[in-house]
Amino acid sequence: MIADRIVLTLAATAVILVGGWAYLRLGDRALAALPRGGYRRLAPWLFAGPAVAMVLLALAFPAVVTVGWSFVDDGGGFAGLANYAQTLSDEVTRIALRNTVLWVVLLPTLAVLVGLAIAVLAERVRYSALVKAALFLPIAISAVAAGVIWSFMYDYQPPGAAQTATLNAVVTALGGEPVAWIVDTATNNYALIGATLWTQAGFAMVIFDAALRSVPGELLEAARLDGASEWAAFRHVTLPFLVPTVVVVATTMTVTALKAFDIVYVMTNGNYGTDVLSTVMYRALFTAKDNGLAGAVATILMLTVVPIMIVNVRQFRRETGAA
């Protein structure tokens, strides 16, 4: 069985390599027969064609199918906007929408603040590489593993019992009462966002660290010579250079917040009022087997992401245009 898989893998690799070579070779010959102007216009598409085809096949086609399912009822007939009306009128979906908004507000804000703070402050200590490595390390951990780790961190034992979880051990050591972090509705959504922040702050830190290196050192030196404090120099010199980076990190984290699923599913499965749109969509598709309802929720998620991606693309074009 393993030998068959190895042979199949090698054969598929050979077919892809030979097919790719033939596509480029024959395509270039075909374009060479065109007038010079036509060749210049079409040659880029020869190389971009496979990538565009993959995007259409892996993203555009499933998106169109999903939108189409959102207008279909259980019997396969046209349902109009009934699926949207049903999901938006459902109390669970409204809770999920509220929680998703909370994620969209808190996760990007905290990621920007923590990532920027670590990137700025770590440069002022001799062991900055160790600090950055420690914050960056959780990126290599899957969201499922992070959910398991933080489930242990948030574990709850009744008052008087030995607290095996780190957070409650600290709380009780300081004289407080243990907190049911992922059960108590006053804390559970914030606890889940905190666990996700642990996996994403390192990404923000790396991006800000790279951006800080592009700030002209002579401007900072001039500000200090003029008597500006470190805060004033950061606010009036460094921060304006970082605004495009803040936008990129914030939009990236916003998309991450909208896609939140793994940690919520592992730690609470959407119980205790922690549902987000992704968990509602998952249950509609795999538990209720309602393709129409799941398609409606997925379409709402896609429509929410589109404006954010437009802002990100415009920011990228502005940066490349300025460069």
Side-chain angles (χ1 to χ4, degrees):
M1 182 64 70
I2 295 179
D4 293 340
R5 291 181 179 179
I6 293 175
V7 172
L8 183 61
T9 301
L10 292 176
T13 302
V15 169
I16 292 174
L17 292 176
V18 173
W21 176 85
Y23 166 80
L24 293 175
R25 184 73 173 178
L26 297 177
D28 186 64
R29 286 186 177 182
L31 292 180
L34 298 175
R36 188 175 182 83
Y39 180 85
R40 288 183 174 180
R41 286 193 299 270
L42 296 178
W45 289 102
L46 176 67
F47 298 94
V52 172
M54 288 299 296
V55 169
L56 293 175
L57 181 64
L59 294 179
F61 177 72
V64 172
V65 172
T66 299
V67 174
W69 273 114
S70 69
F71 296 103
V72 175
D73 58 22
D74 290 336
F78 181 71
L81 298 176
N83 289 319
Y84 293 93
Q86 179 181 347
T87 188
L88 292 176
S89 62
D90 183 59
E91 179 64 23
V92 174
T93 303
R94 288 202 293 267
I95 292 174
L97 282 169
R98 181 199 65 194
N99 292 338
T100 301
V101 171
L102 183 66
W103 277 76
V104 168
V105 172
L106 287 185
L107 183 61
T109 302
L110 293 174
V112 167
L113 292 177
V114 173
L116 181 57
I118 298 298
V120 172
L121 297 177
E123 290 296 329
R124 302 175 182 275
V125 296
R126 288 182 298 177
Y127 45 88
S128 62
L130 181 61
V131 174
K132 294 175 183 178
L135 188 64
F136 184 77
L137 185 61
I139 294 180
I141 300 175
S142 69
V144 173
V148 173
I149 291 170
W150 282 91
S151 293
F152 290 125
M153 294 283 287
Y154 291 137
D155 193 24
Y156 169 81
Q157 298 296 331
Q163 298 297 325
T164 57
T166 304
L167 289 182
N168 277 328
V170 172
V171 170
T172 53
L174 296 175
E177 292 293 326
V179 180
W181 298 98
I182 59 177
V183 176
D184 190 344
T185 56
T187 60
N188 51 16
N189 283 297
Y190 302 103
L192 297 177
I193 294 172
T196 307
L197 176 65
W198 181 69
T199 66
Q200 299 297 323
F203 166 80
M205 180 271 296
V206 170
I207 301 300
F208 282 123
D209 184 64
L212 284 170
R213 300 181 187 278
S214 67
V215 178
E218 56 272 17
L219 293 181
L220 291 172
E221 289 297 328
R224 295 188 182 105
L225 289 174
D226 287 340
S229 63
E230 289 298 322
W231 169 248
F234 172 79
R235 179 182 177 185
H236 298 289
V237 178
T238 303
L239 192 57
F241 280 93
L242 297 181
V243 169
T245 307
V246 170
V247 173
V248 171
V249 172
T251 52
T252 303
M253 291 297 104
T254 300
V255 173
T256 301
L258 288 169
K259 296 190 303 179
F261 172 78
D262 311 70
I263 284 182
V264 177
Y265 182 79
V266 170
M267 296 180 69
T268 66
N269 195 23
N271 295 317
Y272 320 117
T274 59
D275 261 320
V276 290
L277 287 177
S278 297
T279 57
V280 173
M281 178 184 66
Y282 176 85
R283 283 200 299 272
L285 182 61
F286 294 103
T287 302
K289 306 297 183 181
D290 192 333
N291 292 339
L293 195 60
V297 178
T299 302
I300 293 173
L301 266 175
M302 284 192 294
L303 292 177
T304 307
V305 171
V306 167
I308 301 169
M309 297 307 299
I310 291 175
V311 171
N312 212 357
V313 170
R314 287 182 177 177
Q315 180 64 34
F316 175 76
R317 288 180 176 177
R318 191 177 300 114
E319 289 182 10
T320 54

